[in-house]
Amino acid sequence: MGSTDIQLIQRRVRRTYELARLRRALVGILPVILVTGVAAFAASRPTAPLAFGLATALAGAMMLWHGRDPQKAFLPGVIAGLVPLGLALGAGALHTCGAASCSYVCVPACVLGGVVAGFAVAGVSLQRRASGWFWVSASGLALLTGAMGCACMGSAGVIGMGLGFGAGIVPGLLRRVFGKETR
Amino acid sequence: MNVRLDSDLDALMVRLADGDRGAFTRVFELLWEPIQTLCRSLLKNEADAADAGQDAMHKILERASDFDRSRPAMPWALAIAGWECRTVARRRERRREEAPDSMPSQAGPHAEEVFLQRDLTAAAMAALGELSDVDREVLVATFWDEAASVSGATLRKRRERALDRLRKTFRRLYGLD
């Protein structure tokens, strides 16, 4: 068999490998689709959870297909993002109305959830001594997952969660930088 | 078998399972020749061996992401290739049975079938050898329809457990049920 034939076979086998990875990735994001469905069902306005859910599923599929650090960051990212999502969905039903105006607890819940998610991502990344790609991938997925619920108050909830997440992740980032400097 | 090449392959398969595409070409090169050789020796036919070898490469790389890093890569890959060769041999056998007029009559059993049967029996015996004496006694008694030291529900339970262990051992050794 000539080298051209072997190269052709190698290209075909490579395609099979990539398709198999893509199939695995699509199966892997099924829980994200389920969570998106629950978030859309529980939210008063399902458009935002659906949009963020689609973005989460696409990003997750890309990470799982790509492999390496982004693939390893998929599960920690989604689990961390479930904290602000769960708190926001729970808080969505709670609001108190006085004589002048109504007070919603969605934004504080998102900030708190963001802080917890940031701590969680930083903790897992430090524990695994993960690369920068792991931090970026896990953070991005956690923010997208959390945003499904934190869009309850429009952009305010998402921004609040982002700020909380930033605050939560900073100690871990500093520890990582500090740890490197001391080596 | 070259131990250094095998350990290289193990490391490369782990990288490929993690999604490191840089390992792909080398994995392909390391697997290609042993698989072609195995298929040629099993099928004794250049065209069938080429088909089976290519199909095996597709199956192996399709499952590369599920590769179990605790197991050596080469026996795993060769087990898949062996099964692919058996599939091709069976397909060829069926074609012969479906078109008896178009083929010259052959006396006696086919050499490939005998070879494959012997190969499979040896694999089963090796797996059986890893079981405990009790499990082996139960399975042998079942296979030869002999009286075992126990009977009734106890024998049935022991047989189920022994079969389960045999299945797990076979999977551990050859990667397939």
Side-chain angles (χ1 to χ4, degrees):
Chain A
M1 197 175 281
S3 63
T4 319
D5 288 342
I6 292 178
Q7 277 170 8
L8 189 70
I9 294 165
Q10 195 176 330
R11 272 205 296 277
R12 283 191 195 138
V13 173
R14 173 69 186 265
R15 202 161 47 230
T16 306
Y17 169 76
E18 297 294 354
L19 283 173
R21 285 197 71 86
L22 188 62
R23 257 199 314 273
R24 275 167 55 94
L26 292 176
V27 172
I29 58 159
L30 286 179
V32 173
I33 291 169
L34 185 71
V35 168
T36 305
V38 171
F41 181 76
S44 52
R45 285 170 296 183
T47 319
L50 285 175
F52 280 112
L54 182 67
T56 311
L58 282 175
M62 288 286 286
M63 285 160 62
L64 289 177
W65 167 76
H66 181 271
R68 307 184 84 176
D69 284 332
Q71 182 183 0
K72 288 173 191 156
F74 174 80
L75 205 57
V78 170
I79 291 172
L82 287 177
V83 179
L85 170 63
L87 284 176
L89 290 180
L94 299 172
H95 64 273
T96 49
C97 287
S101 63
C102 287
S103 163
Y104 292 91
V105 289
C106 174
V107 176
C110 285
V111 174
L112 178 67
V115 172
V116 175
F119 264 125
V121 166
V124 172
S125 305
L126 284 172
Q127 195 186 13
R128 295 188 182 183
R129 293 176 186 178
S131 69
W133 276 113
F134 184 96
W135 285 74
V136 171
S137 306
S139 301
L141 212 57
L143 286 169
L144 281 172
T145 307
M148 277 191 244
C150 290
C152 55
M153 285 290 288
S155 57
V158 179
I159 291 169
M161 179 195 62
L163 291 173
F165 187 87
I169 209 165
V170 160
L173 275 174
L174 288 175
R175 212 176 129 189
R176 185 172 188 248
V177 173
F178 180 72
K180 267 188 177 172
E181 281 173 354
T182 53
R183 258 177 228 160
Chain B
M1 220 172 258
N2 190 329
V3 176
R4 196 172 150 265
L5 278 183
D6 280 0
S7 61
D8 281 355
L9 180 64
D10 292 348
L12 288 163
M13 277 302 296
V14 170
R15 280 175 54 194
L16 197 59
D18 283 344
D20 182 355
R21 272 79 169 173
F24 184 88
T25 306
R26 190 73 188 123
V27 166
F28 186 93
E29 286 168 357
L30 286 174
L31 288 176
W32 178 255
E33 205 46 56
I35 282 170
Q36 295 303 313
T37 308
L38 176 77
C39 291
R40 273 196 297 269
S41 71
L42 285 176
L43 295 168
K44 312 279 184 219
N45 178 304
E46 203 62 39
D48 283 349
D51 283 350
Q54 282 181 42
D55 288 351
M57 289 300 285
H58 278 283
K59 292 264 164 66
I60 291 162
L61 273 306
E62 192 176 27
R63 297 179 198 176
S65 301
D66 299 320
F67 174 68
D68 177 0
R69 58 195 67 209
S70 65
R71 284 173 42 195
M74 189 55 89
W76 170 75
L78 291 177
I80 294 174
W83 279 99
E84 209 53 47
C85 291
R86 285 185 188 103
T87 309
V88 169
R90 277 196 212 109
R91 207 182 300 145
R92 187 171 58 188
E93 198 58 33
R94 269 203 301 274
R95 272 205 305 269
R96 277 184 187 146
E97 282 167 7
E98 279 168 10
D101 299 338
S102 61
M103 296 292 289
S105 65
Q106 292 179 21
H110 300 296
E112 294 91 341
E113 274 299 304
V114 173
F115 186 84
L116 293 176
Q117 194 65 40
R118 203 185 307 148
D119 190 33
L120 195 58
T121 308
M125 292 305 285
L128 204 60
E130 296 224 347
L131 298 184
S132 69
D133 289 342
V134 176
D135 286 345
R136 218 170 15 239
E137 186 211 341
V138 168
L139 289 176
V140 169
T142 303
F143 184 74
W144 292 109
D145 210 13
E146 285 174 352
S149 53
V150 288
S151 59
T154 314
L155 177 64
R156 273 202 302 280
K157 273 183 191 164
R158 278 194 189 176
R159 190 186 300 151
E160 271 172 33
R161 280 200 294 264
L163 277 172
D164 190 42
R165 285 190 199 110
L166 180 66
R167 207 171 289 128
K168 280 178 184 158
T169 309
F170 202 82
R171 196 181 297 141
R172 178 169 56 77
L173 289 173
Y174 306 106
L176 297 157
D177 288 316

